[in-house]
Amino acid sequence: MTLRKKTPIFVFLPGSYQTPAHFEPITQKLQTCGYDAVALMLAGRGDNAESAAPLESVTTARARLTELVQDQSREVVLMGCSYAGMIASMAVKGLEISLRQHQGLAGGVTNVVFIAGLLIPEGLKLVDMLPGNRLPPWSLLDEQRGVLIPSPAAKAIFFTDMDEASRDRYGSQLVAQTPRNLQGVIKDACWDVDVPKIYIHTLQDKACPMELQNTMLSRVRSVRPEDWSTLTIESDHSPFLSHVEQTVDLLLRHRSGPTHDGEWPSGIMQEANKECQATKTALIADPGRRDHLASRL
């Protein structure tokens, strides 16, 4: 993928058992709108699930962000989805754009966006968030391999708003993950970092219900309440799959933030729509790309 330096790059960190394959619809949509977008394969997933150290995925995410910010001077919108909210929170400190501007440097993390993301206070562990320290209904322990695997119920819980064929398709792409992250202690979280933080509430979420989302948010936003904005979407746990258009709409609107009265500047979506239309026109004019991508526009 050729990176466009004039716009921020959206970097998605996948939730439990998910891989970059689950984010292809939304990254492709953002790309057709003129934005760079990637999803990272976190450590402790798939073939790496049995050997990964606790929270090794923070190291892998941080390394990619460092490459984009320090080496390429890119502006980054970091997306922490579900479980990966805690990974995103620990990957930012020192790379935030406010600090880099103060240092006279270009690039930086401009926003941290949590889509039904786990928000865990500094010093606690993920296991501390589990009722009775029991695994959630979408997780099973494979004792022979020593890894966590998605339960048969996972696809219905994660992909509630999708048809059965789509559930089966994306359910089959879920992979094992390390259980060691349950014991990883949250440290260097971005709760006290000067970076705008956005929480997208998924209103029909069966994995992370609204009550839990609100409880987690109230525990961490008090550190720097002025940094936080909240948005909502009528969606299951995976709006990046089930509600791609609406999720992209929210993300592009929030690039410039809300105005003082909470309304969005009317020009933002007009700009985004123009970018989408210009890209679409270019694809139609290019027969080679048209056949490959026209169905995704």
Side-chain angles (χ1 to χ4, degrees):
M1 179 180 67
T2 301
L3 298 180
R4 311 170 180 88
K5 290 197 173 183
K6 68 176 182 178
T7 58
I9 180 171
F10 291 85
V11 177
F12 290 84
L13 305 185
S16 293
Y17 307 114
Q18 295 170 354
T19 73
H22 294 93
F23 291 82
E24 287 181 0
I26 195 165
T27 56
Q28 290 168 357
K29 180 62 179 176
L30 284 164
Q31 288 162 14
T32 64
C33 290
Y35 296 86
D36 294 322
V38 297
L40 305 186
M41 183 65 175
L42 297 178
R45 300 282 170 90
D47 295 339
N48 182 241
E50 298 176 47
S51 58
L55 299 180
E56 186 178 333
S57 48
V58 176
T59 303
T60 60
R62 175 82 179 187
R64 180 59 172 143
L65 291 177
T66 299
E67 177 186 353
L68 289 168
V69 170
Q70 294 187 355
D71 298 346
Q72 301 178 29
S73 299
R74 294 300 306 270
E75 294 186 2
V76 177
V77 179
L78 180 61
M79 311 289 303
C81 304
S82 183
Y83 153 85
M86 73 176 194
I87 305 303
S89 73
M90 291 185 282
V92 174
K93 186 169 286 189
L95 298 176
E96 66 272 22
I97 196 167
S98 60
L99 175 62
R100 290 185 56 82
Q101 287 177 340
H102 180 72
Q103 296 170 334
L105 301 172
V109 176
T110 64
N111 299 84
V112 188
V113 182
F114 303 92
I115 301 181
L118 292 186
L119 310 178
I120 303 179
E122 188 90 5
L124 296 184
K125 306 173 183 177
L126 175 55
V127 71
D128 297 327
M129 307 290 290
L130 301 177
N133 292 338
R134 297 189 303 270
L135 290 175
W138 56 85
S139 293
L140 294 173
L141 177 63
D142 182 336
E143 296 184 359
Q144 182 175 0
R145 296 174 58 199
V147 298
L148 295 176
I149 58 174
S151 75
K155 64 179 182 180
I157 295 173
F158 291 165
F159 314 126
T160 309
D161 290 348
M162 307 186 78
D163 58 46
E164 193 63 33
S166 296
R167 288 184 191 177
D168 289 342
R169 173 187 174 188
Y170 290 111
S172 69
Q173 295 174 345
L174 297 172
V175 299
Q177 67 181 39
T178 178
R180 297 181 180 89
N181 286 340
L182 294 173
Q183 298 293 338
V185 177
I186 304 301
K187 60 181 180 179
D188 295 325
C190 65
W191 313 138
D192 62 348
V193 172
D194 179 15
V195 62
K197 306 167 185 74
I198 305 165
Y199 198 93
I200 299 181
H201 290 285
T202 45
L203 300 182
Q204 305 302 322
D205 198 321
K206 292 186 176 180
C208 187
M210 276 295 295
E211 180 179 4
L212 177 56
Q213 294 178 38
N214 286 326
T215 297
M216 292 189 298
L217 183 56
S218 68
R219 289 175 177 173
V220 299
R221 75 183 302 174
S222 60
V223 179
R224 286 183 59 94
E226 68 274 17
D227 290 347
W228 287 90
S229 301
T230 58
L231 302 170
T232 60
I233 185 169
E234 285 284 348
S235 169
D236 59 7
H237 192 59
S238 306
F240 46 85
L241 276 174
S242 59
H243 297 78
V244 174
E245 297 281 347
Q246 296 94 317
T247 305
V248 168
D249 178 72
L250 284 179
L251 295 178
L252 296 188
R253 286 192 199 188
H254 219 82
R255 278 182 57 210
S256 299
T259 58
H260 68 280
D261 58 358
E263 296 297 327
W264 295 109
S266 60
I268 292 180
M269 282 313 295
Q270 294 175 3
E271 175 192 354
N273 288 335
K274 287 179 181 178
E275 290 175 351
C276 284
Q277 186 58 48
T279 304
K280 185 182 295 187
T281 301
L283 289 172
I284 291 174
D286 185 334
R289 295 183 67 196
R290 180 191 62 206
D291 294 341
H292 180 61
L293 292 175
S295 64
R296 297 173 181 168
L297 299 178

